[in-house]
Amino acid sequence: MTDALDPAALDPADMREQYRTAEFVEADLAADPMEQFARWFAQAADSDAIVEPNAMVVSTATPDGRPSSRTVLLKHYDGRGFVFFTNYDSRKGMELETNPHVSLLFPWHPVARQVLVTGTASRVGRDETAAYFRTRPHGSQLGAWASEQSSVIASRAELLARYEDLAARYPEGEQVPVPPHWGGFRVVPGTVEFWQGHENRLHDRLRYVREGGAWRVERLAP
């Protein structure tokens, strides 16, 4: 076995972009990070270059610090924080139950922006989960039951068979019950960083830090 790869393979060391954007300074910031997030999120959603602006990387860890990451979709945000939904028995669900510390990353690369959040996660109420579940397409509701997320399965055929059984039990137009093992997490931020790319890697990084119920802003070196 060798570490050598095809010499014709692409070399990532040669891949680079020069970001050409306007300066992002403290005077541009909203007083509150969630208000600032709302501004940038609206601009990201308005950009034709960004597909799924609500896609975010959620990073969790076991109690002994072994991390894992995956992309999920933000489904709600307000002054209390950021909400996403998942199977509570999944890897991220189980890790958040034993270690609520979490980070979120919104990678809006086409506009040379990122938002990075650190905070703690807790389950939302069942009423909030049920209200969101009712807005999901019928097929997605069945999928929440069909997939024992993060568990090992023998084949895709096994997954599809579960789905078909559920589709027969709950045909289109019939209410699908909310799975007891499925629901939302709300991430309450402790820090929220707004990253704006610039030429020569001289990026702007402005971070809100929560201190005693208030927010202060600090600038980070790129």
Side-chain angles (χ1 to χ4, degrees):
M1 189 173 185
T2 177
D3 291 336
L5 296 175
D6 182 348
L10 293 173
D11 184 357
D14 293 332
M15 298 177 181
R16 55 180 55 85
E17 293 288 336
Q18 280 282 23
Y19 305 124
R20 293 177 172 84
T21 61
E23 286 186 352
F24 182 51
V25 297
E26 287 80 350
D28 296 331
L29 287 172
D32 180 274
M34 299 309 294
E35 181 183 344
Q36 182 62 40
F37 178 81
R39 292 179 186 177
W40 271 26
F41 184 71
Q43 291 168 9
D46 196 47
S47 172
D48 293 335
I50 298 177
V51 178
E52 291 190 311
N54 60 327
M56 60 183 184
V57 178
V58 176
S59 297
T60 58
T62 59
D64 61 350
R66 296 177 182 271
S68 63
S69 299
R70 74 289 293 158
T71 301
V72 306
L73 296 178
L74 175 72
K75 288 302 178 181
H76 180 69
Y77 69 92
D78 56 25
R80 297 173 296 170
F82 305 85
V83 176
F84 66 93
F85 293 84
T86 189
N87 187 313
Y88 288 138
D89 296 330
S90 66
R91 180 173 180 175
K92 59 183 171 298
M94 297 292 285
E95 289 182 354
L96 288 174
E97 286 300 312
T98 57
N99 179 0
H101 299 291
V102 61
S103 71
L104 312 176
L105 168 64
F106 294 86
W108 297 326
H109 301 312
V111 294
R113 283 179 172 176
Q114 300 179 75
V115 179
L116 303 94
V117 179
T118 64
T120 55
S122 60
R123 293 188 183 191
V124 306
R126 292 308 291 174
D127 288 348
E128 188 172 348
T129 285
Y132 169 68
F133 189 78
R134 297 288 170 235
T135 70
R136 287 165 64 93
H138 182 73
S140 295
Q141 293 182 10
L142 296 178
W145 279 100
S147 175
E148 296 177 2
Q149 196 175 78
S150 301
S151 65
V152 176
I153 59 175
S155 65
R156 180 169 179 80
E158 177 184 327
L159 178 64
L160 294 177
R162 291 179 189 169
Y163 182 88
E164 293 304 323
D165 286 345
L166 287 159
R169 192 183 315 168
Y170 303 107
E172 188 78 42
E174 186 168 331
Q175 187 174 84
V176 180
V178 182
H181 56 271
W182 187 95
F185 280 104
R186 174 173 286 103
V187 177
V188 177
T191 69
V192 186
E193 178 186 333
F194 294 86
W195 183 102
Q196 176 73 70
H198 288 294
E199 291 181 279
N200 304 315
R201 297 300 186 259
L202 301 179
H203 315 309
D204 285 320
R205 298 176 61 189
L206 299 179
R207 181 171 66 184
Y208 293 81
V209 180
R210 189 194 296 271
E211 288 185 343
W215 293 98
R216 67 174 174 84
V217 174
E218 57 191 11
R219 176 176 287 270
L220 304 178

